[in-house]
Amino acid sequence: MSRVTPATRALTAAGVAFTVHTYDYDPDAESIGLQAASALGEDPARVLKTLMTLVDGKPVCVIVPSDQEVSMKKLAAAVSGKAAQMMKQLEAERLTGFKVGGISPFGQRKSVRAVIEQSALAHDQVYINGGQRGLQVRLKPADARDVLKAVVADVLA
């Protein structure tokens, strides 16, 4: 497994301090985020999942704790939209350049609007996918917010 991905290159280029953590990815896991948290021995609230959505037909990347679900209504409101829905898997992979299970908000093929769940900023460090299945980066949530120019909002269901 490569520890250098478009995501880690983007973080390095942005001057963000981070560490890389690998784990055994289980493609059959019921929840990829919860499986990552368990494999890393971390609280699921600190292991954030990256979801690709569409708000009023425009792509939005949303980052939330792995043990939580997104309220599509709150997500749409966070970006002044009317309706949100999950992006189809193939569309998410084509847009980001990453495979589902390895989608990172950093280093995507095309920069899209990002929203980070406000509760994530309460932690000193969080884990976010590093652009490859079985690869997480640990960093300060404020650094993730800043590099993504993310909207911070309550988007939990």
Side-chain angles (χ1 to χ4, degrees):
M1 171 183 301
S2 174
R3 294 168 71 91
V4 177
T5 66
T8 60
R9 282 195 290 273
L11 288 170
T12 300
V16 173
F18 67 95
T19 55
V20 174
H21 303 265
T22 59
Y23 65 96
D24 290 328
Y25 172 81
D26 179 1
D28 299 320
E30 197 172 305
S31 167
I32 294 167
L34 290 177
Q35 189 262 324
S38 175
L40 292 166
E42 288 291 338
D43 178 349
R46 289 185 53 203
V47 179
L48 309 181
K49 60 186 173 183
T50 305
L51 303 172
M52 296 306 296
T53 65
L54 293 169
V55 177
D56 297 341
K58 295 187 176 120
V60 174
C61 176
V62 61
I63 304 144
V64 297
S66 61
D67 61 346
Q68 300 291 323
E69 296 299 321
V70 174
S71 163
M72 292 297 161
K73 193 174 203 173
K74 287 181 180 178
L75 173 61
V79 294
S80 302
K82 288 185 168 67
Q85 66 187 48
M86 290 300 297
M87 190 179 285
K88 289 183 172 45
Q89 180 175 331
L90 286 175
E91 188 178 354
E93 291 179 348
R94 190 171 42 251
L95 179 74
T96 65
F98 299 118
K99 294 280 185 201
V100 166
I103 291 179
S104 177
F106 313 111
Q108 293 185 0
R109 273 193 189 137
K110 183 179 178 195
S111 183
V112 301
R113 197 156 191 198
V115 175
I116 189 166
E117 163 52 36
Q118 66 185 15
S119 64
L121 279 96
H123 301 285
D124 290 339
Q125 300 272 314
V126 294
Y127 292 81
I128 299 178
N129 197 290
Q132 191 173 50
R133 293 171 176 165
L135 184 79
Q136 297 277 317
V137 292
R138 187 176 71 192
L139 70 166
K140 292 178 181 170
D143 287 343
R145 174 201 62 208
D146 294 349
V147 79
L148 294 169
K149 297 178 178 63
V151 171
V152 176
D154 169 16
V155 294
L156 297 182

